[in-house]
Amino acid sequence: METRKVWFVTGASKGLGLTLVKKLLTQNYRVAATSRSVQSLIKELGKSSEDFLPLEMNLTDNENVKAAIGECINHFGQIDVVVNNAGYALIGTLEELSEQEVKSNFEVNVFGSLHVIRNVAPLFRNQKSGHIFNISSIGGYIGGFPGFGIYCSTKFAVAGFTEALADEMKAFNVHTTLLYPGYFRTNFLSQGSVQTASNPITAYKTAREMENAHLRELNGNQPNDPEKAADVLIALSQEENPPIHFFMGKDAYHYAKQKIALIQSTMAEHETLATSTDISNN
C-alpha cells in the first residue's frame, strides 16, 4: 500500500530533512530518521513508535550506517525510499582550506551517501523495488561560486555517482533521482550548519564578498519554501517513471539554463578545433 511505505531519511534533525519527515508522518508514511544525535530527533519528532524510528547514526562510519539500516529493517521489516539528505556547506577558497577541512566535507557529503547506498542496495536488489533520492545542489551543476569550490565539488561528485547508480539499479526496478535544489529557507547557512575556513586569506576579496552575501544577506531570505520541497519529493516518489535529474526551484532553473546555454555556445564556437583530433583526420 502506497501510504505505508517506509522512508529512510538522513540528516533529519533540521532543515529540509526535518520538514520532510514531519510531512511524511502526517501523510501516514512510516519513517526512519537519522542524525548524529538521537536526542535531537526525539525532541523534534518524538520517541520510537509503530510509525517512527529515530536513529543515531555516524554517516562517516560504514559499519555504523550498516547497523542503522539493519535497525530500520528490524523495526519496519522493509525500506522503500531512501533520502540521502545529510550534508553541510563549507566556505573557503582552495588555497585557504586545509587538507582536513576538505576531507571532512567529502567524508560527509560524498562518502556518507555512498555508505548508505552500499548498504541499502542489497535490500533493493532483492525486493526488486525502491527509490533512492540523492540531494546534490545547484552547486553540483555550476561551480562558479568563489569560495564554494570544495562544497560544489562534493555535490558534483554526488551528481556523477548518481548518474552511474541510476543505470546500475535500473535492471532491478530501483529508481534513482538526483535533486539539484536552489536556495531553500532553512538553517543551512546558519551558524552551526555552515563551516568557514579556519585560516582565511584577506587577499581573496571576491570570495569574502560571496561568503558575506550568503551568510549575512541570503541567510533567512532564501526564495524557496522547504515545505513545498517536501511536497515535491513525495510527489516524485509516487511517479511511475520518476526523473533521474531534477532541478528544484526557479533559481536552480535559472542557473542551470545559464550554464547549458554557455556550454552549447562554447561547443558551437570551437566545434571544428575540438573535433579535429579524430585519428582518421589527416
Side-chain angles (χ1 to χ4, degrees):
M1 296 192 309
E2 185 73 24
T3 55
R4 298 305 293 165
K5 280 186 175 181
V6 175
W7 289 59
F8 185 92
V9 182
T10 71
S13 63
K14 57 186 177 181
L16 176 59
L18 177 60
T19 302
L20 174 62
V21 171
K22 286 181 176 179
K23 184 147 292 192
L24 288 168
L25 290 172
T26 64
Q27 294 188 19
N28 204 30
Y29 290 94
R30 294 176 290 171
V31 184
T34 82
S35 174
R36 289 172 295 176
S37 166
V38 72
Q39 290 304 317
S40 64
L41 293 169
I42 293 172
K43 179 181 178 182
E44 292 285 352
L45 298 159
K47 296 181 179 180
S48 178
S49 67
E50 182 180 329
D51 297 318
F52 176 63
L53 178 65
L55 292 168
E56 186 165 309
M57 189 176 81
N58 178 2
L59 200 62
T60 65
D61 183 334
N62 182 68
E63 291 304 311
N64 190 264
V65 172
K66 182 178 181 179
I69 290 172
E71 285 187 57
C72 178
I73 295 170
N74 287 337
H75 189 82
F76 293 120
Q78 66 192 73
I79 300 175
D80 300 288
V81 183
V82 167
V83 182
N84 278 312
N85 167 71
Y88 69 93
L90 176 64
I91 305 176
T93 67
L94 302 191
E95 181 185 353
E96 290 171 332
L97 293 171
S98 68
E99 179 183 9
Q100 188 53 54
E101 286 172 316
V102 173
K103 283 184 175 179
S104 296
N105 205 214
F106 270 83
E107 284 288 343
V108 174
N109 292 7
V110 179
F111 292 102
S113 292
L114 289 173
H115 292 329
V116 174
I117 292 165
R118 184 181 303 114
N119 288 292
V120 81
L123 173 69
F124 281 6
R125 280 195 295 105
N126 290 332
Q127 68 189 25
K128 295 292 190 295
S129 66
H131 195 159
I132 300 171
F133 287 97
N134 289 334
I135 311 296
S136 178
S137 164
I138 189 55
Y141 191 73
I142 299 173
F145 301 100
F148 284 81
I150 294 303
Y151 171 73
C152 287
S153 70
T154 67
K155 294 303 185 177
F156 267 77
V158 170
F161 71 63
T162 302
E163 288 187 357
L165 179 68
D167 275 337
E168 292 168 358
M169 301 301 285
K170 188 188 302 182
F172 308 107
N173 195 38
V174 176
H175 299 300
T176 306
T177 299
L178 170 65
L179 271 78
Y180 299 97
Y183 291 101
F184 279 80
R185 197 168 297 182
T186 67
N187 54 7
F188 186 71
L189 292 173
S190 302
Q191 187 175 9
S193 294
V194 64
Q195 294 187 18
T196 56
S198 299
N199 297 296
I201 299 170
T202 55
Y204 284 106
K205 292 182 180 180
T206 305
R208 291 292 81 76
E209 290 170 0
M210 180 69 74
E211 178 180 330
N212 289 331
H214 278 75
L215 299 183
R216 297 179 183 178
E217 298 170 25
L218 186 59
N219 186 29
N221 295 302
Q222 296 96 324
N224 292 297
D225 185 348
E227 292 282 344
K228 293 180 179 178
D231 291 334
V232 167
L233 262 73
I234 294 170
L236 287 171
S237 76
Q238 295 170 347
E239 290 191 5
E240 186 176 348
N241 295 298
I244 296 173
H245 295 271
F246 191 87
F247 292 90
M248 188 161 62
K250 289 182 180 179
D251 52 345
Y253 261 69
H254 169 73
Y255 285 121
K257 286 179 178 179
Q258 276 190 331
K259 179 169 181 177
I260 290 167
L262 175 62
I263 290 174
Q264 287 178 330
S265 64
T266 303
M267 288 180 70
E269 182 181 354
H270 297 282
E271 184 172 4
T272 300
L273 179 61
T275 58
S276 67
T277 58
D278 195 312
I279 200 164
S280 64
N281 289 348
N282 296 316

